[in-house]
Amino acid sequence: QAMPILQQLAIAVGGVCLISRVPPAVLLAALAAFYIWSSQTPRFTCASCSRSKPVEGSFAAGECGCRVCKGCMHQHVVSNVESQEQDILCPSKGCRQQLTEATVAQV
């Protein structure tokens, strides 16, 4: 039988508190603060890795408008520069738009 989510959370918090010796009230306060912060922070789905990320620090890949997280964009540009690609295309799945020089320079 599936355990209710609050019961699972209580068990997880208890385990973390035992291991780290952090009082449960402190850990729960930190989790509550993180939840409030994350629910108020604008987010987007990265067009490359498909993960939900904060909008702050992301890249609009170019004229195509695809939004890509900092990590994906950095990895994509470095990989293309190392392989001496002449045109660096948007890292978004299925997009073939060339990245602007301004976007590449920001990375």
Side-chain angles (χ1 to χ4, degrees), residues 16-56:
V16 169
C17 291
L18 283 175
I19 294 169
S20 65
R21 298 181 184 197
V22 173
V26 172
L27 184 58
L28 288 172
L31 286 171
F34 176 76
Y35 173 77
I36 291 168
W37 170 83
S38 66
S39 65
Q40 294 174 349
T41 302
R43 301 184 73 76
F44 76 103
T45 301
C46 175
S48 182
C49 68
S50 302
R51 292 189 178 134
S52 176
K53 303 278 186 147
V55 170
E56 186 177 323

PDB file of all heavy atoms in Angstrom, residues 16-56:
ATOM      1  N   VAL A  16      17.250  12.395   7.679  1.00  0.00           N
ATOM      2  CA  VAL A  16      18.252  13.445   7.459  1.00  0.00           C
ATOM      3  C   VAL A  16      18.677  14.038   8.790  1.00  0.00           C
ATOM      4  O   VAL A  16      19.857  14.289   9.027  1.00  0.00           O
ATOM      5  CB  VAL A  16      17.709  14.542   6.510  1.00  0.00           C
ATOM      6  CG1 VAL A  16      18.628  15.754   6.491  1.00  0.00           C
ATOM      7  CG2 VAL A  16      17.527  13.990   5.118  1.00  0.00           C
ATOM      8  N   CYS A  17      17.731  14.260   9.691  1.00  0.00           N
ATOM      9  CA  CYS A  17      18.044  14.839  10.997  1.00  0.00           C
ATOM     10  C   CYS A  17      18.935  13.909  11.815  1.00  0.00           C
ATOM     11  O   CYS A  17      19.841  14.372  12.503  1.00  0.00           O
ATOM     12  CB  CYS A  17      16.769  15.167  11.759  1.00  0.00           C
ATOM     13  SG  CYS A  17      15.841  16.527  11.023  1.00  0.00           S
ATOM     14  N   LEU A  18      18.688  12.604  11.739  1.00  0.00           N
ATOM     15  CA  LEU A  18      19.533  11.655  12.468  1.00  0.00           C
ATOM     16  C   LEU A  18      20.959  11.657  11.937  1.00  0.00           C
ATOM     17  O   LEU A  18      21.916  11.643  12.701  1.00  0.00           O
ATOM     18  CB  LEU A  18      18.956  10.241  12.366  1.00  0.00           C
ATOM     19  CG  LEU A  18      17.750   9.928  13.241  1.00  0.00           C
ATOM     20  CD1 LEU A  18      17.225   8.539  12.928  1.00  0.00           C
ATOM     21  CD2 LEU A  18      18.117  10.038  14.715  1.00  0.00           C
ATOM     22  N   ILE A  19      21.091  11.681  10.632  1.00  0.00           N
ATOM     23  CA  ILE A  19      22.416  11.630  10.011  1.00  0.00           C
ATOM     24  C   ILE A  19      23.179  12.936  10.214  1.00  0.00           C
ATOM     25  O   ILE A  19      24.342  12.946  10.570  1.00  0.00           O
ATOM     26  CB  ILE A  19      22.303  11.302   8.507  1.00  0.00           C
ATOM     27  CG1 ILE A  19      21.769   9.877   8.340  1.00  0.00           C
ATOM     28  CG2 ILE A  19      23.634  11.478   7.798  1.00  0.00           C
ATOM     29  CD1 ILE A  19      21.355   9.534   6.926  1.00  0.00           C
ATOM     30  N   SER A  20      22.514  14.069   9.993  1.00  0.00           N
ATOM     31  CA  SER A  20      23.196  15.360  10.017  1.00  0.00           C
ATOM     32  C   SER A  20      23.152  16.044  11.376  1.00  0.00           C
ATOM     33  O   SER A  20      23.807  17.054  11.585  1.00  0.00           O
ATOM     34  CB  SER A  20      22.577  16.288   8.971  1.00  0.00           C
ATOM     35  OG  SER A  20      21.229  16.571   9.323  1.00  0.00           O
ATOM     36  N   ARG A  21      22.356  15.503  12.290  1.00  0.00           N
ATOM     37  CA  ARG A  21      22.175  16.071  13.632  1.00  0.00           C
ATOM     38  C   ARG A  21      21.601  17.490  13.603  1.00  0.00           C
ATOM     39  O   ARG A  21      21.869  18.304  14.466  1.00  0.00           O
ATOM     40  CB  ARG A  21      23.480  16.036  14.411  1.00  0.00           C
ATOM     41  CG  ARG A  21      23.968  14.623  14.625  1.00  0.00           C
ATOM     42  CD  ARG A  21      25.212  14.550  15.393  1.00  0.00           C
ATOM     43  NE  ARG A  21      25.620  13.150  15.439  1.00  0.00           N
ATOM     44  CZ  ARG A  21      26.481  12.682  16.295  1.00  0.00           C
ATOM     45  NH1 ARG A  21      27.039  13.451  17.170  1.00  0.00           N
ATOM     46  NH2 ARG A  21      26.792  11.404  16.279  1.00  0.00           N
ATOM     47  N   VAL A  22      20.824  17.766  12.566  1.00  0.00           N
ATOM     48  CA  VAL A  22      20.104  19.033  12.461  1.00  0.00           C
ATOM     49  C   VAL A  22      18.746  18.835  13.098  1.00  0.00           C
ATOM     50  O   VAL A  22      18.060  17.849  12.793  1.00  0.00           O
ATOM     51  CB  VAL A  22      19.945  19.449  10.979  1.00  0.00           C
ATOM     52  CG1 VAL A  22      19.058  20.672  10.851  1.00  0.00           C
ATOM     53  CG2 VAL A  22      21.291  19.692  10.343  1.00  0.00           C
ATOM     54  N   PRO A  23      18.330  19.758  13.984  1.00  0.00           N
ATOM     55  CA  PRO A  23      16.999  19.609  14.585  1.00  0.00           C
ATOM     56  C   PRO A  23      15.917  19.616  13.510  1.00  0.00           C
ATOM     57  O   PRO A  23      15.998  20.383  12.544  1.00  0.00           O
ATOM     58  CB  PRO A  23      16.885  20.836  15.494  1.00  0.00           C
ATOM     59  CG  PRO A  23      18.296  21.280  15.739  1.00  0.00           C
ATOM     60  CD  PRO A  23      19.062  20.895  14.508  1.00  0.00           C
ATOM     61  N   PRO A  24      14.888  18.768  13.640  1.00  0.00           N
ATOM     62  CA  PRO A  24      13.823  18.705  12.628  1.00  0.00           C
ATOM     63  C   PRO A  24      13.179  20.057  12.329  1.00  0.00           C
ATOM     64  O   PRO A  24      12.876  20.358  11.183  1.00  0.00           O
ATOM     65  CB  PRO A  24      12.807  17.733  13.231  1.00  0.00           C
ATOM     66  CG  PRO A  24      13.588  16.905  14.185  1.00  0.00           C
ATOM     67  CD  PRO A  24      14.683  17.781  14.704  1.00  0.00           C
ATOM     68  N   ALA A  25      12.995  20.885  13.358  1.00  0.00           N
ATOM     69  CA  ALA A  25      12.363  22.199  13.138  1.00  0.00           C
ATOM     70  C   ALA A  25      13.208  23.071  12.210  1.00  0.00           C
ATOM     71  O   ALA A  25      12.681  23.795  11.366  1.00  0.00           O
ATOM     72  CB  ALA A  25      12.138  22.907  14.467  1.00  0.00           C
ATOM     73  N   VAL A  26      14.521  22.987  12.335  1.00  0.00           N
ATOM     74  CA  VAL A  26      15.423  23.773  11.485  1.00  0.00           C
ATOM     75  C   VAL A  26      15.343  23.286  10.041  1.00  0.00           C
ATOM     76  O   VAL A  26      15.235  24.074   9.105  1.00  0.00           O
ATOM     77  CB  VAL A  26      16.880  23.702  12.012  1.00  0.00           C
ATOM     78  CG1 VAL A  26      17.849  24.351  11.043  1.00  0.00           C
ATOM     79  CG2 VAL A  26      16.974  24.341  13.391  1.00  0.00           C
ATOM     80  N   LEU A  27      15.361  21.970   9.864  1.00  0.00           N
ATOM     81  CA  LEU A  27      15.290  21.404   8.520  1.00  0.00           C
ATOM     82  C   LEU A  27      13.941  21.723   7.866  1.00  0.00           C
ATOM     83  O   LEU A  27      13.888  22.112   6.696  1.00  0.00           O
ATOM     84  CB  LEU A  27      15.516  19.892   8.553  1.00  0.00           C
ATOM     85  CG  LEU A  27      15.551  19.198   7.199  1.00  0.00           C
ATOM     86  CD1 LEU A  27      16.644  19.785   6.308  1.00  0.00           C
ATOM     87  CD2 LEU A  27      15.760  17.714   7.361  1.00  0.00           C
ATOM     88  N   LEU A  28      12.858  21.596   8.608  1.00  0.00           N
ATOM     89  CA  LEU A  28      11.541  21.903   8.055  1.00  0.00           C
ATOM     90  C   LEU A  28      11.415  23.383   7.700  1.00  0.00           C
ATOM     91  O   LEU A  28      10.822  23.728   6.682  1.00  0.00           O
ATOM     92  CB  LEU A  28      10.440  21.478   9.023  1.00  0.00           C
ATOM     93  CG  LEU A  28      10.241  19.965   9.129  1.00  0.00           C
ATOM     94  CD1 LEU A  28       9.268  19.634  10.251  1.00  0.00           C
ATOM     95  CD2 LEU A  28       9.763  19.384   7.813  1.00  0.00           C
ATOM     96  N   ALA A  29      12.003  24.256   8.503  1.00  0.00           N
ATOM     97  CA  ALA A  29      11.978  25.689   8.194  1.00  0.00           C
ATOM     98  C   ALA A  29      12.755  25.970   6.905  1.00  0.00           C
ATOM     99  O   ALA A  29      12.329  26.771   6.067  1.00  0.00           O
ATOM    100  CB  ALA A  29      12.559  26.494   9.350  1.00  0.00           C
ATOM    101  N   ALA A  30      13.883  25.301   6.745  1.00  0.00           N
ATOM    102  CA  ALA A  30      14.670  25.472   5.522  1.00  0.00           C
ATOM    103  C   ALA A  30      13.913  24.956   4.307  1.00  0.00           C
ATOM    104  O   ALA A  30      13.924  25.588   3.247  1.00  0.00           O
ATOM    105  CB  ALA A  30      16.016  24.758   5.657  1.00  0.00           C
ATOM    106  N   LEU A  31      13.258  23.811   4.446  1.00  0.00           N
ATOM    107  CA  LEU A  31      12.462  23.270   3.340  1.00  0.00           C
ATOM    108  C   LEU A  31      11.305  24.203   2.981  1.00  0.00           C
ATOM    109  O   LEU A  31      11.018  24.429   1.805  1.00  0.00           O
ATOM    110  CB  LEU A  31      11.908  21.888   3.699  1.00  0.00           C
ATOM    111  CG  LEU A  31      12.909  20.741   3.687  1.00  0.00           C
ATOM    112  CD1 LEU A  31      12.279  19.486   4.281  1.00  0.00           C
ATOM    113  CD2 LEU A  31      13.412  20.475   2.294  1.00  0.00           C
ATOM    114  N   ALA A  32      10.657  24.769   3.999  1.00  0.00           N
ATOM    115  CA  ALA A  32       9.545  25.700   3.754  1.00  0.00           C
ATOM    116  C   ALA A  32      10.051  26.952   3.046  1.00  0.00           C
ATOM    117  O   ALA A  32       9.424  27.434   2.095  1.00  0.00           O
ATOM    118  CB  ALA A  32       8.869  26.068   5.070  1.00  0.00           C
ATOM    119  N   ALA A  33      11.196  27.477   3.472  1.00  0.00           N
ATOM    120  CA  ALA A  33      11.765  28.668   2.833  1.00  0.00           C
ATOM    121  C   ALA A  33      12.132  28.372   1.382  1.00  0.00           C
ATOM    122  O   ALA A  33      11.881  29.189   0.481  1.00  0.00           O
ATOM    123  CB  ALA A  33      12.999  29.145   3.606  1.00  0.00           C
ATOM    124  N   PHE A  34      12.700  27.198   1.131  1.00  0.00           N
ATOM    125  CA  PHE A  34      13.049  26.825  -0.240  1.00  0.00           C
ATOM    126  C   PHE A  34      11.799  26.701  -1.098  1.00  0.00           C
ATOM    127  O   PHE A  34      11.766  27.155  -2.233  1.00  0.00           O
ATOM    128  CB  PHE A  34      13.833  25.510  -0.268  1.00  0.00           C
ATOM    129  CG  PHE A  34      14.117  25.048  -1.671  1.00  0.00           C
ATOM    130  CD1 PHE A  34      15.099  25.653  -2.425  1.00  0.00           C
ATOM    131  CD2 PHE A  34      13.371  24.023  -2.240  1.00  0.00           C
ATOM    132  CE1 PHE A  34      15.342  25.250  -3.727  1.00  0.00           C
ATOM    133  CE2 PHE A  34      13.605  23.614  -3.542  1.00  0.00           C
ATOM    134  CZ  PHE A  34      14.601  24.226  -4.288  1.00  0.00           C
ATOM    135  N   TYR A  35      10.760  26.098  -0.551  1.00  0.00           N
ATOM    136  CA  TYR A  35       9.513  25.941  -1.301  1.00  0.00           C
ATOM    137  C   TYR A  35       8.931  27.305  -1.676  1.00  0.00           C
ATOM    138  O   TYR A  35       8.523  27.521  -2.811  1.00  0.00           O
ATOM    139  CB  TYR A  35       8.498  25.139  -0.492  1.00  0.00           C
ATOM    140  CG  TYR A  35       7.145  25.091  -1.159  1.00  0.00           C
ATOM    141  CD1 TYR A  35       6.931  24.246  -2.240  1.00  0.00           C
ATOM    142  CD2 TYR A  35       6.111  25.916  -0.747  1.00  0.00           C
ATOM    143  CE1 TYR A  35       5.704  24.215  -2.888  1.00  0.00           C
ATOM    144  CE2 TYR A  35       4.883  25.891  -1.391  1.00  0.00           C
ATOM    145  CZ  TYR A  35       4.683  25.045  -2.462  1.00  0.00           C
ATOM    146  OH  TYR A  35       3.485  25.023  -3.102  1.00  0.00           O
ATOM    147  N   ILE A  36       8.914  28.222  -0.731  1.00  0.00           N
ATOM    148  CA  ILE A  36       8.386  29.567  -1.001  1.00  0.00           C
ATOM    149  C   ILE A  36       9.234  30.248  -2.058  1.00  0.00           C
ATOM    150  O   ILE A  36       8.723  30.827  -3.013  1.00  0.00           O
ATOM    151  CB  ILE A  36       8.324  30.399   0.297  1.00  0.00           C
ATOM    152  CG1 ILE A  36       7.238  29.829   1.205  1.00  0.00           C
ATOM    153  CG2 ILE A  36       8.071  31.874  -0.009  1.00  0.00           C
ATOM    154  CD1 ILE A  36       7.269  30.373   2.618  1.00  0.00           C
ATOM    155  N   TRP A  37      10.565  30.170  -1.913  1.00  0.00           N
ATOM    156  CA  TRP A  37      11.463  30.795  -2.895  1.00  0.00           C
ATOM    157  C   TRP A  37      11.250  30.198  -4.279  1.00  0.00           C
ATOM    158  O   TRP A  37      11.106  30.920  -5.265  1.00  0.00           O
ATOM    159  CB  TRP A  37      12.917  30.614  -2.462  1.00  0.00           C
ATOM    160  CG  TRP A  37      13.881  31.011  -3.526  1.00  0.00           C
ATOM    161  CD1 TRP A  37      14.325  32.275  -3.808  1.00  0.00           C
ATOM    162  CD2 TRP A  37      14.507  30.165  -4.501  1.00  0.00           C
ATOM    163  NE1 TRP A  37      15.185  32.252  -4.870  1.00  0.00           N
ATOM    164  CE2 TRP A  37      15.319  30.965  -5.318  1.00  0.00           C
ATOM    165  CE3 TRP A  37      14.455  28.797  -4.751  1.00  0.00           C
ATOM    166  CZ2 TRP A  37      16.070  30.452  -6.360  1.00  0.00           C
ATOM    167  CZ3 TRP A  37      15.210  28.293  -5.792  1.00  0.00           C
ATOM    168  CH2 TRP A  37      16.005  29.126  -6.580  1.00  0.00           C
ATOM    169  N   SER A  38      11.203  28.864  -4.363  1.00  0.00           N
ATOM    170  CA  SER A  38      11.102  28.220  -5.674  1.00  0.00           C
ATOM    171  C   SER A  38       9.751  28.466  -6.339  1.00  0.00           C
ATOM    172  O   SER A  38       9.656  28.508  -7.559  1.00  0.00           O
ATOM    173  CB  SER A  38      11.378  26.723  -5.582  1.00  0.00           C
ATOM    174  OG  SER A  38      10.387  26.079  -4.829  1.00  0.00           O
ATOM    175  N   SER A  39       8.708  28.640  -5.540  1.00  0.00           N
ATOM    176  CA  SER A  39       7.398  28.880  -6.144  1.00  0.00           C
ATOM    177  C   SER A  39       7.250  30.324  -6.608  1.00  0.00           C
ATOM    178  O   SER A  39       6.382  30.629  -7.414  1.00  0.00           O
ATOM    179  CB  SER A  39       6.284  28.518  -5.164  1.00  0.00           C
ATOM    180  OG  SER A  39       6.311  29.371  -4.037  1.00  0.00           O
ATOM    181  N   GLN A  40       8.108  31.223  -6.124  1.00  0.00           N
ATOM    182  CA  GLN A  40       8.029  32.628  -6.510  1.00  0.00           C
ATOM    183  C   GLN A  40       9.043  32.986  -7.587  1.00  0.00           C
ATOM    184  O   GLN A  40       8.980  34.069  -8.161  1.00  0.00           O
ATOM    185  CB  GLN A  40       8.253  33.526  -5.293  1.00  0.00           C
ATOM    186  CG  GLN A  40       7.146  33.407  -4.280  1.00  0.00           C
ATOM    187  CD  GLN A  40       7.428  34.190  -3.016  1.00  0.00           C
ATOM    188  OE1 GLN A  40       8.528  34.673  -2.798  1.00  0.00           O
ATOM    189  NE2 GLN A  40       6.423  34.317  -2.172  1.00  0.00           N
ATOM    190  N   THR A  41       9.986  32.116  -7.857  1.00  0.00           N
ATOM    191  CA  THR A  41      11.016  32.366  -8.851  1.00  0.00           C
ATOM    192  C   THR A  41      10.498  31.968 -10.228  1.00  0.00           C
ATOM    193  O   THR A  41      10.100  30.821 -10.419  1.00  0.00           O
ATOM    194  CB  THR A  41      12.293  31.553  -8.524  1.00  0.00           C
ATOM    195  OG1 THR A  41      12.735  31.903  -7.223  1.00  0.00           O
ATOM    196  CG2 THR A  41      13.389  31.815  -9.522  1.00  0.00           C
ATOM    197  N   PRO A  42      10.497  32.911 -11.195  1.00  0.00           N
ATOM    198  CA  PRO A  42      10.058  32.543 -12.550  1.00  0.00           C
ATOM    199  C   PRO A  42      10.922  31.414 -13.106  1.00  0.00           C
ATOM    200  O   PRO A  42      12.142  31.429 -12.964  1.00  0.00           O
ATOM    201  CB  PRO A  42      10.243  33.824 -13.353  1.00  0.00           C
ATOM    202  CG  PRO A  42      10.328  34.918 -12.352  1.00  0.00           C
ATOM    203  CD  PRO A  42      10.901  34.302 -11.107  1.00  0.00           C
ATOM    204  N   ARG A  43      10.270  30.439 -13.711  1.00  0.00           N
ATOM    205  CA  ARG A  43      10.975  29.267 -14.231  1.00  0.00           C
ATOM    206  C   ARG A  43      10.612  29.038 -15.687  1.00  0.00           C
ATOM    207  O   ARG A  43       9.626  29.564 -16.186  1.00  0.00           O
ATOM    208  CB  ARG A  43      10.634  28.043 -13.382  1.00  0.00           C
ATOM    209  CG  ARG A  43      11.013  28.251 -11.905  1.00  0.00           C
ATOM    210  CD  ARG A  43      10.772  27.035 -11.068  1.00  0.00           C
ATOM    211  NE  ARG A  43      11.721  25.953 -11.271  1.00  0.00           N
ATOM    212  CZ  ARG A  43      12.962  25.927 -10.796  1.00  0.00           C
ATOM    213  NH1 ARG A  43      13.432  26.918 -10.107  1.00  0.00           N
ATOM    214  NH2 ARG A  43      13.744  24.879 -11.016  1.00  0.00           N
ATOM    215  N   PHE A  44      11.407  28.239 -16.366  1.00  0.00           N
ATOM    216  CA  PHE A  44      11.154  27.850 -17.747  1.00  0.00           C
ATOM    217  C   PHE A  44      11.646  26.423 -17.913  1.00  0.00           C
ATOM    218  O   PHE A  44      12.361  25.893 -17.063  1.00  0.00           O
ATOM    219  CB  PHE A  44      11.882  28.794 -18.724  1.00  0.00           C
ATOM    220  CG  PHE A  44      13.361  28.519 -18.812  1.00  0.00           C
ATOM    221  CD1 PHE A  44      13.893  27.845 -19.907  1.00  0.00           C
ATOM    222  CD2 PHE A  44      14.219  28.907 -17.801  1.00  0.00           C
ATOM    223  CE1 PHE A  44      15.250  27.574 -19.986  1.00  0.00           C
ATOM    224  CE2 PHE A  44      15.580  28.643 -17.879  1.00  0.00           C
ATOM    225  CZ  PHE A  44      16.091  27.983 -18.971  1.00  0.00           C
ATOM    226  N   THR A  45      11.269  25.792 -19.000  1.00  0.00           N
ATOM    227  CA  THR A  45      11.770  24.462 -19.326  1.00  0.00           C
ATOM    228  C   THR A  45      12.855  24.623 -20.371  1.00  0.00           C
ATOM    229  O   THR A  45      12.612  25.155 -21.456  1.00  0.00           O
ATOM    230  CB  THR A  45      10.641  23.557 -19.841  1.00  0.00           C
ATOM    231  OG1 THR A  45       9.646  23.461 -18.822  1.00  0.00           O
ATOM    232  CG2 THR A  45      11.163  22.175 -20.180  1.00  0.00           C
ATOM    233  N   CYS A  46      14.071  24.183 -20.041  1.00  0.00           N
ATOM    234  CA  CYS A  46      15.207  24.312 -20.957  1.00  0.00           C
ATOM    235  C   CYS A  46      14.903  23.557 -22.250  1.00  0.00           C
ATOM    236  O   CYS A  46      14.489  22.395 -22.222  1.00  0.00           O
ATOM    237  CB  CYS A  46      16.467  23.763 -20.306  1.00  0.00           C
ATOM    238  SG  CYS A  46      17.907  23.735 -21.398  1.00  0.00           S
ATOM    239  N   ALA A  47      15.124  24.227 -23.372  1.00  0.00           N
ATOM    240  CA  ALA A  47      14.839  23.630 -24.682  1.00  0.00           C
ATOM    241  C   ALA A  47      15.844  22.546 -25.054  1.00  0.00           C
ATOM    242  O   ALA A  47      15.623  21.799 -26.000  1.00  0.00           O
ATOM    243  CB  ALA A  47      14.829  24.718 -25.753  1.00  0.00           C
ATOM    244  N   SER A  48      16.932  22.435 -24.285  1.00  0.00           N
ATOM    245  CA  SER A  48      17.935  21.420 -24.589  1.00  0.00           C
ATOM    246  C   SER A  48      17.804  20.201 -23.670  1.00  0.00           C
ATOM    247  O   SER A  48      17.680  19.086 -24.134  1.00  0.00           O
ATOM    248  CB  SER A  48      19.333  22.023 -24.466  1.00  0.00           C
ATOM    249  OG  SER A  48      20.312  21.074 -24.796  1.00  0.00           O
ATOM    250  N   CYS A  49      17.810  20.432 -22.350  1.00  0.00           N
ATOM    251  CA  CYS A  49      17.775  19.301 -21.407  1.00  0.00           C
ATOM    252  C   CYS A  49      16.376  19.006 -20.867  1.00  0.00           C
ATOM    253  O   CYS A  49      16.192  18.014 -20.166  1.00  0.00           O
ATOM    254  CB  CYS A  49      18.733  19.557 -20.242  1.00  0.00           C
ATOM    255  SG  CYS A  49      18.251  20.892 -19.127  1.00  0.00           S
ATOM    256  N   SER A  50      15.418  19.865 -21.164  1.00  0.00           N
ATOM    257  CA  SER A  50      14.017  19.704 -20.758  1.00  0.00           C
ATOM    258  C   SER A  50      13.789  19.758 -19.248  1.00  0.00           C
ATOM    259  O   SER A  50      12.772  19.293 -18.757  1.00  0.00           O
ATOM    260  CB  SER A  50      13.430  18.398 -21.309  1.00  0.00           C
ATOM    261  OG  SER A  50      13.522  18.389 -22.714  1.00  0.00           O
ATOM    262  N   ARG A  51      14.726  20.344 -18.504  1.00  0.00           N
ATOM    263  CA  ARG A  51      14.552  20.488 -17.053  1.00  0.00           C
ATOM    264  C   ARG A  51      13.971  21.860 -16.733  1.00  0.00           C
ATOM    265  O   ARG A  51      14.219  22.823 -17.445  1.00  0.00           O
ATOM    266  CB  ARG A  51      15.888  20.327 -16.338  1.00  0.00           C
ATOM    267  CG  ARG A  51      16.428  18.925 -16.421  1.00  0.00           C
ATOM    268  CD  ARG A  51      17.629  18.757 -15.526  1.00  0.00           C
ATOM    269  NE  ARG A  51      18.105  17.394 -15.594  1.00  0.00           N
ATOM    270  CZ  ARG A  51      19.373  17.072 -15.733  1.00  0.00           C
ATOM    271  NH1 ARG A  51      20.298  18.007 -15.800  1.00  0.00           N
ATOM    272  NH2 ARG A  51      19.726  15.815 -15.784  1.00  0.00           N
ATOM    273  N   SER A  52      13.240  21.946 -15.630  1.00  0.00           N
ATOM    274  CA  SER A  52      12.711  23.212 -15.154  1.00  0.00           C
ATOM    275  C   SER A  52      13.835  23.968 -14.457  1.00  0.00           C
ATOM    276  O   SER A  52      14.474  23.436 -13.555  1.00  0.00           O
ATOM    277  CB  SER A  52      11.556  22.966 -14.176  1.00  0.00           C
ATOM    278  OG  SER A  52      11.100  24.183 -13.646  1.00  0.00           O
ATOM    279  N   LYS A  53      14.093  25.198 -14.907  1.00  0.00           N
ATOM    280  CA  LYS A  53      15.200  26.005 -14.377  1.00  0.00           C
ATOM    281  C   LYS A  53      14.724  27.430 -14.113  1.00  0.00           C
ATOM    282  O   LYS A  53      13.761  27.887 -14.716  1.00  0.00           O
ATOM    283  CB  LYS A  53      16.346  26.072 -15.405  1.00  0.00           C
ATOM    284  CG  LYS A  53      16.911  24.745 -15.847  1.00  0.00           C
ATOM    285  CD  LYS A  53      17.901  24.258 -14.840  1.00  0.00           C
ATOM    286  CE  LYS A  53      18.582  23.001 -15.350  1.00  0.00           C
ATOM    287  NZ  LYS A  53      19.934  22.876 -14.919  1.00  0.00           N
ATOM    288  N   PRO A  54      15.424  28.170 -13.234  1.00  0.00           N
ATOM    289  CA  PRO A  54      15.088  29.585 -13.048  1.00  0.00           C
ATOM    290  C   PRO A  54      15.397  30.374 -14.322  1.00  0.00           C
ATOM    291  O   PRO A  54      16.399  30.117 -14.997  1.00  0.00           O
ATOM    292  CB  PRO A  54      16.006  30.042 -11.918  1.00  0.00           C
ATOM    293  CG  PRO A  54      16.546  28.804 -11.296  1.00  0.00           C
ATOM    294  CD  PRO A  54      16.477  27.723 -12.328  1.00  0.00           C
ATOM    295  N   VAL A  55      14.530  31.322 -14.651  1.00  0.00           N
ATOM    296  CA  VAL A  55      14.737  32.135 -15.857  1.00  0.00           C
ATOM    297  C   VAL A  55      16.024  32.956 -15.728  1.00  0.00           C
ATOM    298  O   VAL A  55      16.769  33.111 -16.698  1.00  0.00           O
ATOM    299  CB  VAL A  55      13.521  33.062 -16.111  1.00  0.00           C
ATOM    300  CG1 VAL A  55      13.822  34.074 -17.204  1.00  0.00           C
ATOM    301  CG2 VAL A  55      12.304  32.238 -16.477  1.00  0.00           C
ATOM    302  N   GLU A  56      16.281  33.445 -14.513  1.00  0.00           N
ATOM    303  CA  GLU A  56      17.486  34.246 -14.301  1.00  0.00           C
ATOM    304  C   GLU A  56      18.729  33.429 -14.647  1.00  0.00           C
ATOM    305  O   GLU A  56      18.903  32.309 -14.182  1.00  0.00           O
ATOM    306  CB  GLU A  56      17.563  34.687 -12.842  1.00  0.00           C
ATOM    307  CG  GLU A  56      18.702  35.633 -12.566  1.00  0.00           C
ATOM    308  CD  GLU A  56      18.690  36.095 -11.118  1.00  0.00           C
ATOM    309  OE1 GLU A  56      17.597  36.295 -10.556  1.00  0.00           O
ATOM    310  OE2 GLU A  56      19.786  36.250 -10.578  1.00  0.00           O
TER     311      GLU A  56
END
